[in-house]
Amino acid sequence: EKTKEGLFSKLSRAIVGKSKVDDEVLDELEEILISSDVGVETTVKIIRRIEERVARDKFVSTSELDEILREEIAELLAQNKSEDITDAFKKSDIKPYVIMVVGVNGVGKTTTIGKLASQFHKAGNKVILGAGDTFRAAAVDQLKLWGQRVGIPVIDHGMNTDPASVAFDAVKQAVEQQADVVIIDTAGRLHNKVNLMNELAKIKRVVQKFLPEAPHEVLLVLDGSTGQNAFIQAQEFTKATDVTALAITKLDGTAKGGVVIGISDQFKIPVKYIGVGEKIEDLQVFNKKEFVNSLFKRKA
Amino acid sequence: MFENLSNKLNTAMRTLKGKGRITDVNVAATVKEIRRALMDADVNYKVAKEITDRIKDEAMGQKIVIAVDPGQMLVKIVHDELVKLMGSQVQGINLKSDPSVILIAGLQGSGKTTFSGKLAQYLKKSGRNVLLVACDIYRPAAIDQLKVLGEQVEVEVYSEPENKNAVQIAQNALEYARKIGKKVIIVDTAGRLAVDEAMMNEIAAVKEAIKPSETLFVVDSMTGQDAVNTAKAFNDRLNFDGVVLTKLDGDARGGAALSIRHVVEKPIKFISTGEKMDALDQFYPDRMASRILGMGDVLSLVERA
Ligand SMILES: Nc1nc2c(ncn2[C@@H]2O[C@H](COP(=O)(O)OP(=O)(O)OP(=O)(O)O)[C@@H](O)[C@H]2O)c(=O)[nH]1
Ligand SMILES: Nc1nc2c(ncn2[C@@H]2O[C@H](COP(=O)(O)OP(=O)(O)OP(=O)(O)O)[C@@H](O)[C@H]2O)c(=O)[nH]1
Ligand SMILES: [Mg+2]
Ligand SMILES: [Mg+2]
């Protein structure tokens, strides 16, 4: 395991030999936050809060800065009222538990579904996948290969069929076969395309005809290297489908994923999973404390 | 969420109003707003700083045209600077060798395979005999995906489903292309992270083996601050010839385009604007500059004045 250098390890280098948080340190902090895609708005908010504390406490040593930052960021993440999930893949009382996975093109929806299916399966759940991306070239084949890897069935109607009826069928078969979890893949779509966003709402409605309380989870997948557009994605997908949870992918790259902080600050949707690679086991349940700690990790 | 830059500037600009010249004092707040707008558009922090510093120097002492807002005038200066930075003219691709080899590289999910299909169609339409080559041996159904696209655009796809050696596949494809007289081969590769040493070695080896006349780096226009690091890392290993900016049919402001251009100094050669095979366009620096700044109206106003 390689240890990724945390967001703020650079900050500690910038302030060696100083005893007091001054403008230069705050500038450095601003650069770090913006460069991690936290976003200007949230960055300004964090800086302002620290400035206020410096003013109030008259003297803040740079060693205290780490602590204050930790608190501030933890608080931003806490505004997003989620409890940390400890038993994400345990059998639910709800059966079948229906998860619909949505997001813009290429973020990692299908891969995340493969990884999730594997975890649910390992935890003893009977899992069924629905091949609701009937549009992108070879999308059904891709999901089927994931199904094979995990060793679970994939319901598909082939390419260029109605995704809503695939979803309907997957849920219906899950009920008939007494499956525990159904995960429905959908085609990637940009949130500014009205027709495609309406199609998502339709998939949801059609599933509800069969199972009124489904989907129990609408998982929005965001690419961890996405910049400020992630905010609009969260906003628009929520409008169309009432997103209930987020998965942030590709955090094995060099992008710092600061977008998590900004999004937690502005939306009340919890981050549930993070993707850290292309392999079946490269999925982690999001843990706030670990995440904050990782931001402060020094290079090993 | 993003207000128009000119709206944002209005407040900052009030201090400039009525002054005849742009000066150090009255320009500071404005430059800060511009910098912020650039960062909101995902322009890299350092790049945004460099650009706005330069613009400040340029703007200093300029006479303000009476008819327009000084803020608008500054925006025009910024816009022109961005256009200049992104390269003022359209750049084509090099197809002089026979066969010409085009290598496609980039991060996971950036749009490489889709772009490969589009480029094949585009070159075919301009009368070239094209071969697509499937060198992604990792992603599930990657070969099938390229084959479907190849069918759609009616271009042959070379693949070796059993072969797990991308370098070999690329070499064999080149040999095959020579034999059957293909003029251009487009090599689609697996997505990879710049920090993945083994995968970066692989694509460097593919490049070494087939000596492309054109290596293109495909990047998602929604990419944030990390775009510069990734582009730089790919460029260090591949010394690519140009950039392809994808998913511009979305509403991302696309500041990554500016950052990448600024840091690696390679032209943006194509933009991708949809999932369909004809959604390919040339890159126009002036349109991109307006997009990054989140404006359109301001420019025409200044132009008229
Ligand atoms: N490094 C890395 N790559 C990932 C991760 N998750 C997905 N990928 C890769 O990203 C690419 C796109 O993943 P997909 O699962 O096909 O994405 P998608 O959202 O289903 O794409 P569309 O259906 O085309 O919209 C593939 O090459 C995946 O292997 C991750 O956590 N880390
Ligand atoms: N809206 C839109 N979608 C695009 C564009 N280019 C590609 N896509 C979509 O983005 C997703 C990923 O595209 P791919 O071509 O599979 O990306 P890739 O870089 O080959 O992915 P990997 O091989 O997994 O690394 C697919 O859903 C494409 O349909 C574009 O310009 N606009
Ligand atoms: Mg998919
Ligand atoms: Mg591909």
Side-chain angles (χ1 to χ4, degrees), chain A residues 104-111 113 133 136 139-140 142-143 185-188, chain B residues 139:
Chain A
V104 299
N105 308 80
V107 288
K109 294 177 292 299
T110 308
T111 308
I113 291 171
D133 181 358
R136 211 218 54 228
V140 173
Q142 185 188 3
L143 190 72
D185 194 11
T186 62
Chain B
R139 170 173 162 159

Side-chain angles (χ1 to χ4, degrees), chain A residues 174-194:
Chain A
V175 170
E176 283 164 11
Q177 296 171 31
Q178 300 192 2
D180 300 298
V181 180
V182 193
I183 314 178
I184 296 162
D185 194 11
T186 62
R189 66 200 73 222
L190 295 174
H191 50 276
N192 60 340
K193 304 211 166 149
V194 178

